[in-house]
Amino acid sequence: MLARLERRLGIALFERRGRRVSLNTYGRIFYEHARRAQLELDSARRAIDDLTNPAVGEIRLGFLSSFGSTVVPRLIASFTKASPRVTFTLREGAAESIGELVESGLVDVGVVSPRPRTPTLAWRSLFRQRLGVAIPRGDRLMGAEAVSTTDLADEPFVAMQPGFGMRRLLDELCAAAQFQPRIVLESGNLTTTAGLVAAGLGISLLPIDGGEYAPGVSVLRLADADAYRVVGMIWNSGRPLSRPARDFIASGVAIQKQGT
């Protein structure tokens, strides 16, 4: 197929080194024009779909696993009351991986925290969650109403794995307090993280209102002014969104403004 394209254009678009193929200067020019043309075609298709069947469609939604118990079900349930013929395909993962899926076009909308640094990802804030430090029963910090991140410099941490939003927030808070956290265990799930804390294996950064954690875990409020995470929706600003996806984003913002 690539060879036929080159013959039709009368120019080589690729550098071939053995089995490896990469775009050359001409190929990169052609790619950029083809990408813009495809975006226009996608936009036209979605505009036609909106006109012919505005209440029907599919939304490919990605989100953090920790949002799967309350946040995402509430968003979907509220939206489908007004648009019952719109279906959802769900993908769970770390904040970084959800951002990559949205950027690639495999997911339409993501619900993540914190806000991604990728400039092509548009962002709409939904709400904030206060952060706390999870400690096991009998920890030296028991009884304190609040602690600051600087109080935790010598503590062992059970942290989320790199790529997760909570890991980025932990690294940023510790950097602001001028120390590097001593991480003894890493997990890809907040529930598992809380269980490891309950077993006395370390402390962890968790949302205060993130739900019920493992028995034997107390979550103390972090006194730092920036100890919170902002939850929001992301989408690729360079790709056309379907009308259902646009309506879903607007619906999510409206729900949070109403405090429901």
Side-chain angles (χ1 to χ4, degrees):
M1 184 179 65
L2 297 177
R4 286 198 302 270
L5 175 62
E6 289 177 316
R7 286 196 297 271
R8 193 163 71 236
L9 294 173
I11 191 74
L13 301 177
F14 302 91
E15 297 287 347
R16 293 172 171 83
R17 297 181 179 87
R19 299 182 66 180
R20 296 183 60 184
V21 177
S22 60
L23 289 171
N24 60 22
T25 301
Y26 303 114
R28 286 190 290 272
I29 292 172
F30 187 85
Y31 168 76
E32 286 301 321
H33 285 271
R35 185 181 64 84
R36 290 195 293 269
Q38 186 62 56
L39 288 174
E40 287 298 319
L41 290 172
D42 289 344
S43 181
R45 178 179 57 81
R46 290 187 185 278
I48 292 171
D49 288 344
D50 289 347
L51 288 173
T52 58
N53 216 351
V56 178
E58 179 191 49
I59 298 173
R60 297 168 299 174
L61 180 65
F63 56 92
L64 308 188
S65 297
S66 59
F67 297 152
S69 59
T70 56
V71 176
V72 168
R74 181 175 62 185
L75 290 171
I76 294 176
S78 177
F79 179 76
T80 53
K81 286 180 183 178
S83 303
R85 298 177 67 190
V86 175
T87 61
F88 285 83
T89 300
L90 306 180
R91 297 282 294 269
E92 298 182 40
E96 191 173 292
S97 64
I98 295 300
E100 291 171 353
L101 289 172
V102 172
E103 191 174 16
S104 68
L106 295 175
V107 162
D108 300 311
V109 181
V111 182
V112 300
S113 177
R115 180 175 183 171
R117 297 188 178 103
T118 307
T120 55
L121 294 179
W123 166 266
R124 188 72 59 84
S125 176
L126 294 177
F127 61 92
R128 300 197 316 178
Q129 286 183 321
R130 192 73 199 177
L131 298 177
V133 56
I135 60 173
R137 182 180 292 121
D139 190 88
R140 68 175 184 86
L141 297 173
M142 283 290 292
E145 291 186 5
V147 294
S148 67
T149 304
T150 54
D151 298 327
L152 311 175
D154 297 325
E155 297 290 331
F157 279 87
V158 177
M160 296 295 286
Q161 295 165 350
F164 282 82
M166 290 299 295
R167 176 60 175 269
R168 176 181 148 190
L169 292 170
L170 172 64
D171 291 341
E172 289 175 352
L173 283 169
C174 292
Q178 300 184 332
F179 74 91
Q180 185 172 347
R182 180 164 63 90
I183 296 172
V184 294
L185 286 169
E186 293 179 336
S187 171
N189 183 283
L190 285 181
T191 302
T192 301
T193 298
L196 295 170
V197 171
L201 298 171
I203 66 172
S204 187
L205 184 71
L206 293 177
I208 289 179
D209 56 349
E212 293 294 326
Y213 294 118
V217 171
S218 298
V219 183
L220 307 179
R221 184 174 62 86
L222 274 175
D224 308 58
D226 56 348
Y228 61 85
R229 70 172 178 174
V230 180
V231 178
M233 290 184 175
I234 59 171
W235 64 97
N236 191 327
S237 59
R239 293 178 180 271
L241 277 178
S242 66
R243 179 171 175 178
R246 297 196 305 271
D247 290 346
F248 178 70
I249 294 169
S251 171
V253 174
I255 291 171
Q256 297 308 322
K257 286 183 177 179
Q258 295 166 7
T260 59

